[in-house]
């Protein structure tokens, strides 16, 4: 594999004399020129933190990824922040703080927070049936594979899909781009993504397809959050992006977070994966984010910058507040970050259970419920990632979050595990 030079493309920022400049850079998504890094706070070892950057630099030098950004923030202040490598090996443009990334499933926490804002206002309830807002879901069926039957047998649901089911992925709605069950194949071969459709059309289309299982019985990763986005539209009377922009994105200062890059002058800022590390077909129906589309996929459609998502993550870590403004109650954040599919629920876990054996799932996030062997990863840590490689985790116990922005579909799992291990090794107990 070709090795890409990274000389001259590294910028490092830390806490201390340059803190005010750094916070400004993170807030507006622009690179800065802070000089020598001041001391790291007492909670971390500087020498061990340097291993985080060394690891990423090696990934770049060996041609596995083009570039990346890593941010670790504790007690509301950046502990470690580096932009490394290139955002696009074809143009040789450097990775900078204003680089825009495809977030894919890191869209889901944003949509989940937006829905919980409506729950707090009493306009939506977790127990509400989805059909209350989307009548097409009143007559959904479950597709059952039975021996001796050539086609799926369609059976009625035992109970309606609820808003909570959409938030915790127990609706029976699945994805068609992984797995080989009959229902997943049906999703993949349907007209679900044909043409320039909007959220209303998408919800109508998917309601006509069978569910993969009975609601409330299995964690099954899929289009639940996309349907939740349509529910938000019906309840609010606004398009999903309009609602999120007005109530969440603009107030937080997430000015570069959207469902496509509308400003043509910003399109060169979009990070690209290595040439041999691209998706051969659209994932979950998401196509090129450089061009307008009517579909605002609450589950996988957003793009954004490191600075934007850092503000969102800090708001969550703060218990629902940021810069003096409250977005959710602390009790709501705690509810979202608690396990909603634990043993008492009798909800099974799909073969493709992405949170992993040591985690449950809340309302939009994986939630740490047991400590993996040979780690110091704390209980209550919650997180999610995107299929292109971006990931974040929030650690209330240590009052910190970490955010890693990269575009590498093939390397994401391995890198996530390595970086999280290095971060906690750097955290002094």
């Amino acid at each position: 594999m070709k090795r890409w030079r990274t000389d001259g493309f590294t910028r490092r920022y830390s806490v201390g004399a340059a803190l005010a400049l750094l916070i400004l850079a993170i807030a507006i998504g622009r690179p800065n020129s802070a000089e020598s890094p001041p001391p790291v706070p007492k909670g971390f070892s500087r020498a061990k933190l340097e291993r985080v950057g060394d690891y990423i630099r090696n990934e770049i030098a060996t041609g596995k990824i083009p570039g990346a950004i890593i941010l670790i923030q504790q007690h509301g202040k950046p502990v470690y922040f580096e932009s490394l490598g290139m955002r696009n090996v074809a143009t040789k443009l450097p990775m900078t703080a204003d680089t825009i990334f495809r977030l894919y499933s890191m869209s889901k926490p944003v949509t989940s927070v937006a829905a919980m804002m409506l729950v707090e206002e009493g306009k939506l309830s977790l127990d509400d049936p989805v059909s209350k807002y989307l009548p097409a879901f009143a007559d959904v069926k479950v597709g059952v594979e039975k021996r001796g039957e050539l086609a799926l047998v369609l059976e009625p649901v035992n109970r309606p899909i609820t808003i909570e089911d959409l938030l915790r992925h127990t609706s029976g709605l699945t994805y068609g781009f992984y797995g080989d069950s009959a229902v997943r194949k049906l999703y993949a071969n349907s007209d679900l993504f044909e043409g320039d459709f909007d959220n209303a059309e998408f919800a109508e289309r998917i309601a006509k397809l069978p569910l993969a299982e009975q609601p409330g019985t299995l964690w099954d990763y899929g289009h639940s959050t996309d349907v939740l986005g349509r529910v938000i539209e019906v309840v609010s009377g606004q398009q999903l992006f309009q609602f999120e922009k007005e109530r969440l994105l603009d107030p937080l200062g997430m000015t570069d977070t959207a469902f496509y890059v509308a400003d043509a002058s910003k399109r060169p800022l979009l990070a690209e994966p290595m040439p041999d590390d691209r998706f051969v077909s659209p994932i979950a129906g998401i196509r090129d984010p450089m061009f307008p589309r009517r579909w605002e996929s609450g589950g996988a459609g957003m793009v954004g910058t490191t600075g934007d998502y850092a503000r969102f993550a800090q708001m969550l870590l703060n218990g629902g507040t940021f810069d003096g403004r409250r977005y959710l109650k602390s009790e709501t954040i705690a509810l979202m970050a608690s396990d909603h599919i634990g043993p008492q629920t009798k909800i099974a876990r799909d073969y493709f259970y992405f949170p992993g054996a040591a985690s449950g799932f809340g309302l939009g996030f994986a939630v740490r419920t047991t400590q993996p062997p040979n780690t110091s990863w704390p209980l209550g840590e919650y997180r999610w990632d995107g299929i292109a490689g971006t990931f974040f985790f929030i650690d209330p116990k240590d009052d910190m979050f970490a955010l890693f922005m990269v575009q590498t579909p093939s390397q994401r799992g391995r890198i996530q595990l390595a970086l999280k291990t290095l971060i906690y090794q750097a955290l002094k107990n």
Side-chain angles (χ1 to χ4, degrees), residues 347-421:
I347 292 171
R349 299 180 176 188
D350 186 50
Y351 174 81
F352 300 97
Y353 183 66
F354 302 117
S359 294
F361 201 84
L363 303 179
F365 313 97
V367 181
R368 179 80 52 207
T369 53
T370 59
Q371 192 174 73
N374 304 314
T375 75
S376 57
W377 302 351
L379 303 184
E381 166 255 328
Y382 58 102
R383 66 199 182 277
W384 206 235
D385 59 5
I387 198 168
T390 59
F391 80 89
F392 77 103
F393 67 85
I394 294 174
D395 175 356
K397 176 180 175 292
D398 296 300
D399 191 27
M400 76 168 187
F401 73 83
L403 175 61
F404 184 63
M405 302 293 266
V406 69
Q407 305 284 251
T408 179
S410 68
Q411 305 296 314
R412 64 188 188 276
R414 177 184 61 81
I415 291 176
Q416 282 185 37
L417 177 61
L419 281 179
K420 188 172 239 183
T421 300

Side-chain angles (χ1 to χ4, degrees), residues 91-354:
T91 62
K92 294 184 168 52
L93 291 171
M95 185 68 74
T96 52
D98 56 353
T99 297
I100 297 171
F101 296 85
R102 298 164 180 84
L103 298 176
Y104 284 106
S105 286
M106 272 174 48
S107 308
K108 288 180 172 73
V110 177
T111 306
S112 299
V113 164
M116 294 305 290
M117 295 172 84
L118 293 171
V119 170
E120 278 197 354
E121 293 170 5
K123 298 176 180 178
L124 193 60
S125 171
L126 296 180
D127 295 331
D128 283 343
V130 172
S131 58
K132 177 179 178 179
Y133 308 100
L134 308 180
F137 281 85
D139 194 35
V140 290
K141 298 290 192 292
V142 179
V144 180
E145 298 179 58
K146 292 191 175 182
R147 186 175 298 177
E149 299 285 347
L150 296 178
L152 282 169
V153 176
L154 299 183
E155 297 183 350
V157 293
N158 294 333
R159 68 157 177 80
I161 302 169
T162 65
I163 301 302
E164 183 180 29
D165 287 323
L166 296 180
L167 283 157
R168 66 184 183 180
H169 293 286
T170 56
S171 65
L173 297 166
T174 191
Y175 276 138
F177 65 86
Y178 70 90
D180 60 358
S181 71
V183 171
R184 286 183 171 128
K185 288 178 180 177
L186 189 59
Y187 272 55
N189 296 317
S190 71
D191 65 351
L192 203 51
F193 308 116
E194 290 299 317
D196 186 22
F197 56 94
D198 61 9
N199 284 3
E201 291 174 85
F202 178 81
E204 290 285 335
R205 289 176 181 182
I206 202 167
K208 295 175 182 177
L209 295 174
L211 303 178
E213 55 274 329
Q214 288 286 345
T217 62
L218 182 75
W219 189 94
D220 189 347
Y221 199 51
H223 287 289
S224 290
T225 317
D226 291 321
V227 174
L228 182 65
R230 176 55 186 162
V231 171
I232 291 171
E233 291 185 335
V234 172
V235 174
S236 69
Q238 298 175 290
Q239 287 186 318
L240 179 60
F241 182 58
Q242 183 184 11
F243 177 81
E244 291 180 338
K245 185 175 173 61
E246 180 181 304
R247 298 289 304 278
L248 186 64
L249 304 179
D250 280 357
L252 274 173
M254 298 173 68
T255 55
D256 288 312
T257 301
F259 287 99
Y260 61 90
V261 184
D263 185 346
S265 68
K266 290 188 175 183
R267 289 174 186 167
L269 295 173
L270 190 68
E272 298 291 347
M274 299 297 283
D276 59 352
D277 193 15
R278 295 180 179 276
F279 297 123
V280 295
S281 61
I283 294 294
I286 304 302
R287 296 177 175 86
D288 194 333
M290 290 194 185
F291 301 104
R293 58 172 175 261
R294 294 169 64 214
W295 187 34
E296 296 173 354
S297 168
M302 297 191 114
V303 297
T305 62
T306 306
D308 278 12
Y309 216 90
R311 296 171 77 84
F312 177 71
Q314 187 65 57
M315 179 273 291
L316 294 172
L317 181 57
N318 290 348
T321 64
F322 188 82
D323 277 352
R325 177 168 179 156
R326 180 163 291 283
Y327 296 84
L328 286 175
K329 297 176 183 177
S330 59
E331 296 87 351
T332 301
I333 299 292
L335 179 69
M336 296 179 73
S338 60
D339 185 15
H340 286 250
I341 61 167
Q344 73 282 0
T345 67
K346 298 183 179 179
I347 292 171
R349 299 180 176 188
D350 186 50
Y351 174 81
F352 300 97
Y353 183 66
F354 302 117

